[in-house]
Amino acid sequence: MILDLLFPNRCLHCNRIIEAELLVCNLCFNQINFMHYDYSENNPVKEKCKLLFPVENTYALIQFEEESLSRKIIHELKYRNREITGKILAEWATERLDFKDQKPDLMASIPLHPRKLRERGYNQLHLFTETLSKFYEIPFDHQLIKRNHYAKAQALKDKQHRIDTINTFSITKPVTGKHILLIDDVFTTGNTVSSVAWEILNAGNNKVSVLVMAMDV
């Protein structure tokens, strides 16, 4: 309580004091660019994924533009030690995402390398995934996918390094005949998602769909 008085939570955009469980004030919330595309229909994420691997359905919550409030929100989650942001993003997603009759069997998020996990202290996708799992009653498996190599943040890589994702991931256990929803934070080139998707597809008679917090437009 004393810390709340000394260091009140403030809106990421206008710096107005807001409730502790919020990211932005009501006025600034309207400046978040949500992507209004259906999960089961063609959308920008699906069009890009289809060029890289066989994909069933895709969904992106917000647009990840330069100098935008959406970018501030994702950076708050990834680089400012505010894990609760993942839960808030998931709650926004549940208000907009309808799987209809194409509900996946399992959720799996892109893993961090153990060294990066120690450095950050948490995987920014876990709370997001767990919140969605509970709401939609879809099981999740944080251990299904393993990242084999330590790598610096995508934002710090040049284009060639982003493309080079060969043997970056592996599947840790037998999985076959499943429709797996692959979850990531920001969709840029799609190479990371593609690398994991091919591991899932090659592991057995599986199908892959993709859900991302944001799409770099």
Side-chain angles (χ1 to χ4, degrees):
M1 181 67 71
I2 294 177
L3 287 177
D4 290 340
L5 293 174
L6 295 176
F7 305 101
N9 187 38
R10 294 183 178 273
C11 173
L12 293 180
H13 193 58
C14 71
N15 210 38
R16 182 183 287 110
I17 294 176
I18 56 176
E19 295 178 22
E21 66 274 12
L22 299 179
L23 292 175
V24 296
C25 68
N26 290 333
L27 291 175
C28 293
F29 182 81
N30 294 325
Q31 298 189 40
I32 300 172
N33 290 328
F34 288 96
M35 299 191 72
H36 303 287
Y37 297 101
D38 288 339
Y39 166 79
S40 58
E41 298 179 354
N42 280 337
N43 56 60
V45 178
K46 188 170 186 178
E47 291 302 315
K48 288 191 175 183
C49 285
K50 284 164 61 177
L51 299 174
L52 301 170
F53 61 93
V55 66
E56 300 298 315
N57 302 294
T58 62
Y59 184 82
L61 179 62
I62 57 179
Q63 296 181 23
F64 192 69
E65 311 107 323
E66 291 286 346
E67 305 300 327
S68 68
L69 178 53
S70 298
R71 186 175 288 262
K72 288 181 181 178
I73 290 170
I74 298 297
H75 282 190
E76 192 78 3
L77 171 64
K78 294 183 68 173
Y79 307 119
R80 297 186 183 276
N81 199 34
R82 197 170 179 184
E83 187 179 8
I84 192 63
T85 302
K87 181 176 185 294
I88 296 171
L89 285 165
E91 290 170 349
W92 293 350
T94 61
E95 296 169 358
R96 295 164 173 82
L97 172 60
D98 184 358
F99 290 114
K100 298 180 181 178
D101 60 346
Q102 301 188 54
K103 188 174 175 180
D105 302 313
L106 181 69
M107 293 181 173
S109 56
I110 302 292
L112 295 177
H113 186 272
R115 175 180 165 186
K116 177 61 69 63
L117 185 60
R118 290 194 299 270
E119 291 172 354
R120 183 171 293 169
Y122 60 94
N123 183 315
Q124 72 274 12
L125 298 173
H126 282 183
L127 189 54
F128 179 80
T129 302
E130 291 160 16
T131 303
L132 293 176
S133 171
K134 182 177 180 180
F135 181 86
Y136 292 108
E137 298 182 332
I138 301 172
F140 66 87
D141 188 344
H142 291 326
Q143 310 304 320
L144 177 64
I145 306 160
K146 176 184 176 182
R147 186 183 287 266
N148 299 320
H149 309 294
Y150 176 82
K152 59 186 177 181
Q154 285 278 50
L156 301 178
K157 296 180 182 179
D158 59 31
K159 185 175 181 180
Q160 182 57 43
H161 283 135
R162 293 189 189 193
I163 292 173
D164 185 14
T165 55
I166 299 174
N167 298 322
T168 300
F169 302 96
S170 58
I171 302 301
T172 64
K173 62 189 73 173
V175 56
T176 185
K178 297 292 186 181
H179 180 188
I180 297 175
L181 182 65
L182 187 57
I183 297 176
D184 201 2
D185 45 31
V186 180
F187 188 99
T188 50
T189 64
N191 288 298
T192 297
V193 168
S194 177
S195 179
V196 178
W198 278 114
E199 293 295 332
I200 293 171
L201 293 168
N202 291 332
N205 185 29
N206 299 308
K207 297 188 293 185
V208 173
S209 289
V210 173
L211 188 160
V212 293
M213 297 175 178
M215 180 177 183
D216 198 347
V217 295

